[in-house]
Amino acid sequence: MKELIEQFVTNITTYLTALGPISGIILILLESVFPILPLSVFIALNIIAFGNLFGYLISLGSTILGCLGSFFLFRSCFQKKLYQYIKKREIDGLDKMMKTISEISFSNLVLLIAIPFSPAFLINIAAGLSKVSKEKFFFALLIGKSVMVYFWGYIGKSFIESLTDITILIRISVLLLISLILSRIVEKKMKVR
């Protein structure tokens, strides 16, 4: 079974390498459109096919583009209609929920995005429908997705090893802490609220 999986991964990464970086970008963008697809697998394949740094950068850039695309789609097509619907029907619960999402702190948004198991498509939709500023969402994506892609790169290369190797878990915890600190600094300097 192990040989079969290794052969499958070798075939896929050879195919990706032959097609070039655009294939890795397309994989990640497809996941943005169809969230049922496994982002972790695509990130791992990019890192295996294109190397640690270049595979990481392809995955990071692509996932940020996909998230921004989803954010702007819901912002431009559905946000105004949602708020008109809330106002017309006087739905307090939905209005309060949208207000809570709109007022999420920058640090909490970064951490929410950085958590590898959080549903990115729901975060993108909620942020797009809310009144979260474009700048706040972009900077939160930049910081949070950096950690998330790093996490999935390690996990994808060796799921069991990553969960049992304390040094990898410590690195990821340190990166989450750095993300929190960095988000607080950006929040104060850029006055992103």
Side-chain angles (χ1 to χ4, degrees), residues 2-173:
K2 182 180 177 184
E3 293 82 19
L4 185 65
I5 293 171
E6 287 176 355
Q7 184 61 40
F8 177 74
V9 170
T10 301
N11 290 342
I12 294 290
T13 55
T14 302
Y15 184 70
L16 284 174
T17 306
L19 291 175
I22 195 75
S23 61
I25 293 168
I26 290 170
L27 275 179
I28 303 290
L29 290 176
L30 275 174
E31 190 277 334
S32 296
V33 176
F34 304 105
I36 192 108
L37 296 174
L39 179 63
S40 59
V41 172
F42 294 160
I43 290 171
L45 289 173
N46 277 341
I47 288 174
I48 292 168
F50 302 111
N52 288 340
L53 181 61
F54 195 54
Y56 171 82
L57 292 174
I58 288 171
S59 299
L60 178 62
S62 302
T63 194
I64 288 173
L65 281 176
C67 289
L68 286 173
S70 178
F71 173 84
F72 284 115
L73 173 71
F74 280 88
R75 173 68 48 100
S76 62
C77 296
F78 301 107
Q79 183 192 43
K80 190 174 184 181
K81 291 176 186 176
L82 176 68
Y83 282 98
Q84 287 173 347
Y85 179 82
I86 291 170
K87 188 174 183 179
K88 185 177 181 182
R89 304 266 190 301
E90 296 180 8
I91 306 171
D92 285 337
L94 189 56
D95 188 39
K96 287 178 185 174
M97 182 178 74
M98 294 310 296
K99 187 175 182 176
T100 301
I101 294 169
S102 296
E103 294 174 355
I104 189 171
S105 74
F106 182 71
S107 298
N108 287 342
L109 183 58
V110 168
L111 287 178
L112 191 60
I113 290 169
I115 296 170
F117 298 100
S118 62
F121 70 99
L122 288 178
I123 296 168
N124 301 336
I125 292 169
L129 292 175
S130 72
K131 295 181 180 177
V132 169
S133 74
K134 296 175 285 208
E135 296 81 10
K136 180 179 184 176
F137 187 68
F138 173 73
F139 286 117
L141 276 178
L142 200 59
I143 297 168
K145 287 294 182 183
S146 299
V147 174
M148 190 271 308
V149 169
Y150 179 80
F151 175 83
W152 285 126
Y154 267 110
I155 293 295
K157 285 181 97 174
S158 176
F159 181 71
I160 305 231
E161 180 185 316
S162 293
L163 290 179
T164 58
D165 185 352
I166 191 73
T167 59
I168 292 172
L169 294 175
I170 290 171
R171 281 188 221 163
I172 290 169
S173 298

